[in-house]
Amino acid sequence: SNDGDPSLKPIVISLPEYGIKQLEFGQRHAACVTKGGIAYTWGDNQFGQLGRYTMEKSDKPAFVKDFVKNETIISSLACTGMNTFFLTKGGEVFGCGTCD
């Protein structure tokens, strides 16, 4: 952990151990989806772009609870500026953040 300070050398980021299918980056946040369809988010959360019902930033990846709770499989995702969009296996699109 770098406690929020900029890292001047590469540091290890602990990602889920389930095999990463896709990794995306927004302006100041990131998201990934595992091969099993679970979405993880981390980084700045000023506009709720992490999908966590809070606006607190997170330095560590954590799964998006709503999708896990509802057994929603994520096929892919996209991060833009201050947004994260999720495409489900069923073809639905969910967005969090400014959604613009």
Side-chain angles (χ1 to χ4, degrees):
S1 170
N2 65 352
D3 298 323
D5 293 328
S7 180
L8 301 178
K9 65 178 185 169
I11 60 171
V12 174
I13 297 178
S14 298
L15 293 173
E17 298 175 7
Y18 309 110
I20 301 301
K21 175 180 172 181
Q22 182 184 2
L23 180 63
E24 291 282 325
F25 302 93
Q27 186 173 346
R28 293 169 46 193
H29 73 292
C32 69
V33 62
T34 66
K35 291 178 182 175
I38 299 173
Y40 287 76
T41 58
W42 67 99
D44 186 52
N45 197 26
Q46 181 179 0
F47 299 97
Q49 60 267 41
L50 301 183
R52 298 188 186 176
Y53 289 93
T54 179
M55 292 168 79
E56 291 181 32
K57 73 175 189 169
S58 172
D59 292 332
K60 297 182 181 186
F63 61 84
V64 180
K65 292 180 183 177
D66 265 13
F67 296 136
V68 172
K69 181 176 80 173
N70 296 320
E71 298 181 4
T72 303
I73 303 298
I74 303 301
S75 294
S76 64
L77 51 83
C79 294
T80 63
M82 299 295 180
N83 308 292
T84 309
F85 297 97
F86 305 89
L87 175 64
T88 70
K89 183 178 178 181
E92 293 180 293
V93 176
F94 289 85
C96 52
T98 58
C99 292
D100 55 7

